[in-house]
Amino acid sequence: MEDVVISVLHRTMVAGTPLLLGTVGEVICERSGILNLGVEGVMSVGAVVAFIVTYITGSPWLGLLAAISAGMILSVLHAFASVTLQANQVVSGLALTMIGLGLSGMLGKPYVGKPLAVKMNDVAIPWLSDIPFIGPLFFKQSPFFYMAIILALAAWFFLERTLPGIKVRSAGENPRATETQGVNVTLLRYACVITGGAFSAMAGAHLSTSYSKSWIEGMTAGRGWIVIALTIFSLWNPGKAIMGAFLFGGVFVLQYLLQPIGISPNFLAMLPYLATLLILLAMSLRDRRRLNAPAQLGEPYKRGER
Amino acid sequence: MFKLTVYDRETITPLRSLMTNIGSVVAALFVISIVFLLCGVNPVYAIGKIFAGSFGSMYGFKETVTKAIPLILTGAGLTLAFRAKFWNIGAEGQILMGALMGTWVGLTWGSVLPSFLLIPLMFVAGFLGGALLGLIPAILKIKFSINEVISTLMLNYICAELITMLIVGPWKGNTRFGFPGTNNLSEAALLSVIPGSRIHYGTLMLAIVAVVILSIIVYRTRFGYEVRVIGENSEAGKYAGIDFFRTTLVIMVISGGLAGIAGIGELAGIHHYLGYPASISSGYGFTAIIVAWLAKLNPMYVLVSALFFAGILVGGDAIQISLGLPGATVQIVNGILLVFLIMGDYFLKHRVVVGFSNREHLTK
């Protein structure tokens, strides 16, 4: 029995990892005031680039590095449109998703169905992984898991406890006042959008080089959109994102758990999306003022407007 | 040193708007050419092939018109929603819901009702299906402040799974030899087409009527005025006493309903049975977003932009076959076009002057 529980929880952690990476990136981006709906597309490009580079070089770490670079380059597009050109961020983000999904489909075409010879292997942390129950759960995981947790905590510390973090937050709350303090809001927002892209691409790399060792078109399966919802769920706090991401990881695992009971697999496939709607509903039934969205989220900021 | 100076434009003429759009499309085609080059494809040949495939032959043009039908209906509905800054990304699901309701009507009454009753009934059912699905995100947004981008997208996924569940389960047809899908709808439920083509003209006429009515609604009625006020200045709308809830509900009934009608067209005009969701609507709901944007949210212009994007879809199929490019190519083309269209908006609203910094005052 204990083995089953550990196995289920372990899979929950694995399924939650890409969600956590994506959410932390989106939190950073949205905290600076930019809504990035391109996560799904960037994640998909991250997945395909990581797969291709790992396939060719045999090193999943090089794959991850390439994925992160690709995610950052792609995100510049959204930063340019939404920050420099003050374009509508919803439409620009959607365009990014379209390009990302298209690009990944095109790049990945020759690799569909090819298995990866190597993958990002799980790493057991010495001593800690020997602790009963907790050990196999938290300390015998893929490097992506450790990176996700560390990055989430680091992002929390950065946003809540450091001066640059305060600048990011104030850029999202009141860019004009931030600018008067001598902060370059444009540069700051570029940095945050690009960082968010790097996180999304990492999440994609996890899907193709750790979660499964293959690439198929549409393998992100809406995770990029769930990330947007999780950002709201976590109240724009990377610390709370940890809880949200693994809660949703659990929903993904639930699909496989319930299938043997004879519930329609198509109904089970709806669960993550239904859960997203239900969670947002539950959030709004709580005190709405505590939602705390960045005040200028999604609003174009025009520099030097008098 | 060169210096870029940006001024706001006071007025935007329709001509400038048109020229900006054309400029954006040309710039996008340039970038798309680079993408083609990187893929080892001659861009002049590929882009030429796209337009030759869609507008260059009678067969291609008929196909283009066929694919324009769902894009006109859905795109026109989206112009209304986007005007109110209600980001309905769920047209794909609303198309599917329309097709689902139409299938239900068609399978239930297909053998008892005559065509002239059955087909209008299917269109009404399709409209209701899309409208009801559209109401959910509207209620969630106004009453529970849930972001409509997320709710509409989640409903897309849910609808696609729902249809798959039906066609592999209770609705699976006994004439499909074990493949997922319903039985064919009865003859009475099928839309007639222009001979020698797949153009189901009934839906096309509905689409054109919808565009005309929407244009009147947007520019000539109090409701249309309210929609525009909500989108442009929601604070002012509140002070003017506009009922946000009611207006948003009506917007989404229309937007979702028109997408639902498009679903009926695809079902009864093209496929004749309910199959996999991706075959019923291969991304029309998403392409329609760009259609609405290229039309500058003017329902009348949707007729032109829908034809343009239908051409890209048809031409995209053509180059997939002749150049062996993957299906995702069309998505990249669409995405790049959308990026350039929104970038073009900046140059429509602002005048960017390149000049020497010390001559700045002269250009003012």
Side-chain angles (χ1 to χ4, degrees):
Chain A
M1 187 59 204
E2 198 192 321
D3 284 354
V4 176
V5 173
I6 288 179
S7 151
V8 166
L9 288 177
H10 187 269
R11 275 153 75 188
T12 300
M13 302 289 167
V14 175
T17 300
L19 300 176
L20 179 56
L21 283 166
T23 308
V24 172
E26 184 69 12
V27 166
I28 294 172
C29 183
E30 289 195 10
R31 267 293 172 95
S32 79
I34 302 291
L35 175 70
N36 186 357
L37 297 183
V39 179
E40 179 83 359
V42 176
M43 214 185 245
S44 192
V45 167
V48 83
V49 168
F51 183 88
I52 294 173
V53 172
T54 309
Y55 189 86
I56 294 170
T57 64
S59 159
W61 287 100
L62 277 180
L64 174 63
L65 214 61
I68 291 174
S69 320
M72 292 170 97
I73 293 169
L74 205 58
S75 302
V76 173
L77 201 62
H78 183 64
F80 179 67
S82 58
V83 181
T84 306
L85 298 185
Q86 297 137 28
N88 185 304
Q89 294 172 19
V90 175
V91 187
S92 166
L94 285 173
L96 188 64
T97 289
M98 283 182 199
I99 293 177
L101 290 178
L103 209 57
S104 57
M106 194 152 146
L107 292 172
K109 185 92 193 289
Y111 298 92
V112 173
K114 290 188 182 171
L116 219 49
V118 284
K119 70 170 220 168
M120 195 69 100
N121 286 317
D122 287 2
V123 175
I125 311 261
W127 297 308
L128 288 175
S129 58
D130 297 331
I131 305 172
F133 199 75
I134 292 174
L137 221 49
F138 296 106
F139 302 106
K140 220 182 250 175
Q141 285 277 6
S142 116
F144 280 103
F145 174 80
Y146 305 126
M147 284 190 285
I149 299 280
I150 291 168
L151 285 170
L153 295 175
W156 172 83
F157 185 79
F158 169 78
L159 284 174
E160 306 291 334
R161 293 285 182 274
T162 69
L163 186 59
I166 291 173
K167 287 177 182 169
V168 169
R169 285 190 287 142
S170 58
E173 297 295 337
N174 191 339
R176 192 145 298 126
T178 315
E179 194 103 308
T180 59
Q181 296 296 311
V183 178
N184 187 340
V185 170
T186 305
L187 197 68
L188 195 76
R189 286 186 164 181
Y190 261 85
C192 289
V193 174
I194 293 169
T195 310
F199 276 82
S200 301
M202 274 179 91
H206 172 267
L207 289 176
S208 65
T209 62
S210 173
Y211 192 65
S212 70
K213 297 189 293 178
S214 61
W215 157 259
I216 44 163
E217 221 181 315
M219 79 182 300
T220 45
R223 283 184 180 83
W225 300 109
I226 292 175
V227 157
I228 313 271
L230 278 174
T231 306
I232 301 169
F233 176 71
S234 63
L235 304 171
W236 292 269
N237 179 336
K240 290 188 179 134
I242 298 179
M243 194 182 68
F246 292 119
L247 191 71
F248 263 77
V251 177
F252 274 93
V253 173
L254 204 63
Q255 291 179 49
Y256 304 103
L257 282 182
L258 295 181
Q259 212 158 325
I261 313 177
I263 300 175
S264 153
N266 298 109
F267 175 75
L268 293 174
M270 283 182 208
L271 283 180
Y273 313 119
L274 281 172
T276 305
L277 288 178
L278 288 178
I279 288 251
L280 289 177
L281 199 61
M283 293 290 294
S284 86
L285 291 176
R286 280 174 42 176
D287 188 357
R288 222 170 276 176
R289 277 158 301 175
R290 286 188 52 218
L291 265 183
N292 252 339
Q296 290 298 306
L297 181 61
E299 295 295 327
Y301 166 57
K302 207 167 173 185
R303 240 182 116 184
E305 193 174 63
R306 288 162 292 267
Chain B
M1 267 300 287
F2 280 108
K3 190 174 170 10
L4 290 175
T5 325
V6 180
Y7 305 103
D8 288 357
R9 280 189 210 281
E10 301 287 320
T11 51
I12 298 165
T13 60
L15 179 69
R16 186 179 296 285
S17 185
L18 178 70
M19 293 313 284
T20 313
N21 261 353
I22 293 175
S24 303
V25 170
V26 170
L29 286 177
F30 181 72
V31 172
I32 290 161
S33 302
I34 296 173
V35 174
F36 277 134
L37 266 182
L38 292 176
C39 297
V41 175
N42 180 348
V44 179
Y45 181 73
I47 291 174
K49 199 89 180 159
I50 288 180
F51 288 106
S54 51
F55 295 103
S57 70
M58 201 54 209
Y59 169 78
F61 186 68
K62 283 183 210 161
E63 277 299 291
T64 302
V65 173
T66 308
K67 293 204 184 227
I69 297 171
L71 291 179
I72 296 171
L73 279 162
T74 314
L78 288 181
T79 62
L80 191 67
F82 290 176
R83 259 177 198 281
K85 294 220 165 72
F86 190 96
W87 304 110
N88 177 14
I89 316 299
E92 189 78 1
Q94 290 145 18
I95 292 173
L96 293 177
M97 211 37 152
L100 190 153
M101 292 287 278
T103 308
W104 179 67
V105 169
L107 290 179
T108 314
W109 289 297
S111 50
V112 284
L113 286 181
S115 209
F116 71 93
L117 283 178
L118 184 62
I119 286 176
L121 194 62
M122 282 169 68
F123 273 116
V124 170
F127 183 90
L128 286 178
L132 285 176
L133 195 71
L135 280 177
I136 299 173
I139 294 168
L140 289 178
K141 176 169 186 181
I142 305 292
K143 292 290 174 198
F144 301 97
S145 44
I146 293 178
N147 185 314
E148 74 276 21
V149 174
I150 300 171
S151 59
T152 48
L153 265 159
M154 293 298 123
L155 288 171
N156 283 346
Y157 288 105
I158 292 170
C159 275
E161 294 296 344
L162 180 66
I163 287 193
T164 315
M165 193 162 95
L166 286 173
I167 61 169
V168 299
W171 284 12
K172 188 169 163 184
N174 49 12
T175 58
R176 290 270 155 242
F177 305 105
F179 288 104
T182 63
N183 283 333
N184 270 356
L185 297 179
S186 68
E187 281 294 322
L190 304 185
L191 299 173
S192 33
V193 294
I194 295 177
S197 77
R198 297 201 297 167
I199 303 172
H200 37 111
Y201 53 85
T203 326
L204 180 60
M205 282 180 333
L206 269 181
I208 293 170
V209 170
V211 162
V212 173
I213 293 176
L214 263 181
S215 301
I216 296 170
I217 287 178
V218 169
Y219 294 109
R220 294 277 181 272
T221 65
R222 186 189 154 79
F223 171 73
Y225 171 73
E226 288 179 351
V227 171
R228 281 183 288 152
V229 170
I230 288 183
E232 274 155 32
N233 192 338
S234 55
E235 281 303 310
K238 273 174 200 149
Y239 289 118
I242 292 175
D243 185 342
F244 272 54
F245 186 52
R246 200 201 52 148
T247 310
T248 309
L249 289 188
V250 177
I251 289 170
M252 282 311 289
V253 163
I254 297 175
S255 184
L258 289 179
I261 289 183
I264 298 291
E266 293 309 292
L267 171 80
I270 307 283
H271 302 284
H272 303 169
Y273 74 97
L274 191 68
Y276 273 121
S279 69
I280 294 291
S281 174
S282 49
Y284 287 128
F286 296 106
T287 308
I289 296 170
I290 324 174
V291 167
W293 209 256
L294 177 64
K296 292 268 179 277
L297 305 187
N298 181 330
M300 271 302 178
Y301 296 166
V302 164
L303 289 174
V304 183
S305 67
L307 206 60
F308 177 76
F309 277 100
I312 291 185
L313 291 181
V314 173
D317 286 345
I319 61 165
Q320 268 177 55
I321 296 162
S322 60
L323 296 174
L325 288 173
T329 319
V330 175
Q331 252 179 320
I332 303 181
V333 171
N334 281 347
I336 292 175
L337 274 166
L338 184 55
V339 166
F340 276 89
L341 286 172
I342 53 180
M343 287 183 180
D345 285 346
Y346 181 78
F347 293 98
L348 187 62
K349 288 182 190 131
H350 304 91
R351 195 156 60 98
V352 181
V353 180
V354 186
F356 293 103
S357 48
N358 55 353
R359 285 174 53 200
E360 195 182 309
H361 60 282
L362 292 176
T363 50
K364 210 156 198 171

